[in-house]
């Protein structure tokens, strides 16, 4: 997706969202709002485009790429320090835009969580930026200090829901809220095994499918469900792209708010990818396999 196409998509969304957003702000507090050199659509476009640019740091991207090569696209650029000061203001529009980018539930959904480490374990006691929010957690890869990103996607690789929690939160806790509008089958790993959760989702018309723990007895499973469990790597591929292409995980954050903004921008950048990991399968194809 080109930079112009990205800006047009963001600007079209802001044309409908910004009036409602401004009206809500005026009701909450009677503050004077002056127009800046960069409009919200331009700031959002730059934030999202950073996660598509393969730059490792936003400062290098802004000073070495935006201020040198994108002056024609953004003729009213501000200094890097001023731009960083504008970032927290765009959290609400970015979150709303991310929700507008969610795909549709196809009846086959995958759910998983991944750790977002904010510092090396040896530096936990000296870490201050996320001292009040981040927590120690454990995954199959070991202990970490930070947050958990919970994701749900469909078989086309489109995002359906996401949730950010401290690192010590159980994977099963945010599931009921995340999958309220889902239908069909939900495929997860062994971390989602829970009889109460399975019963709750079944009442909502959603079948939770997981592998059995080694200490549990075998049970009959439909062939299509076994095939879907083998395809669960799709969400792991998406998480890998989010971390290595969109770079949603690093230890250079200096503000909790900017951490959340860049995380949302990274998820939006993924949603705009032309080619996403996908299965493109339906129930008939699974049964015929």
């Amino acid at each position: 997706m080109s930079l112009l196409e990205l800006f047009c998509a963001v600007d079209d969304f802001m044309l409908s969202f910004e009036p409602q957003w401004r009206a809500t702000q005026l009701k909450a507090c009677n503050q004077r709002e002056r127009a800046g050199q960069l409009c919200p659509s331009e700031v959002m476009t730059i934030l999202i485009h950073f996660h598509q640019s393969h730059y490792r740091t936003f400062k290098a991207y802004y000073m070495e790429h935006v201020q040198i090569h994108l002056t024609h696209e953004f003729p009213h650029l501000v200094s890097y320090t001023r731009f960083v000061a504008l970032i927290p203001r765009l959290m609400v529009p970015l979150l709303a835009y991310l929700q507008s980018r969610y795909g549709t539930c196809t009846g086959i959904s995958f759910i998983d969580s991944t750790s977002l480490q904010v510092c090396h374990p040896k530096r936990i006691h000296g870490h201050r930026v996320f001292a009040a929010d981040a927590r120690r957690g454990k995954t199959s890869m070991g202990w970490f200090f930070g947050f958990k990103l919970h994701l749900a996607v469909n078989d086309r690789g489109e995002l359906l829901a996401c949730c950010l929690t401290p690192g010590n939160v159980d994977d099963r806790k945010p599931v009921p809220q995340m999958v309220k509008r889902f239908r069909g089958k939900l495929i997860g790993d062994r971390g989602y095994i829970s009889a109460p959760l399975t019963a709750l989702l079944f009442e909502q018309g959603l079948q939770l499918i997981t592998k059995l723990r080694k200490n549990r007895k075998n049970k009959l499973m439909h062939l299509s469900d076994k095939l879907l469990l083998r395809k669960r790597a799709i969400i792991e591929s998406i998480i890998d792209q989010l971390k290595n292409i969109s770079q949603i995980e690093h230890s250079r954050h200096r503000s909790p708010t900017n951490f959340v903004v860049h995380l949302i921008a990274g998820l939006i950048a993924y949603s705009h990818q032309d080619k996403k990991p996908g299965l493109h399968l339906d129930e008939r194809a699974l049964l015929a396999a």
Side-chain angles (χ1 to χ4, degrees), residues 185-196:
K185 299 181 179 182
L186 180 67
I187 297 91
D189 59 15
R190 292 186 178 93
Y192 295 94
I193 295 177
S194 169

Side-chain angles (χ1 to χ4, degrees), residues 8 51 108 158 167 206 251 273:
C8 290
H51 294 277
I108 300 175
E158 298 171 336
L206 190 61
S251 58
Q273 279 186 197

Side-chain angles (χ1 to χ4, degrees), residues 233-260:
I234 179 177
I235 193 168
E236 296 176 355
S237 299
I238 293 172
I239 290 172
D240 180 72
Q241 291 190 12
L242 287 171
K243 287 189 172 183
N244 295 302
I245 298 178
S246 295
Q247 299 180 39
I248 62 171
E249 181 186 37
H250 61 80
S251 58
R252 301 181 299 275
H253 294 293
R254 295 297 177 264
S255 166
T257 303
N258 288 0
F259 159 70
V260 176

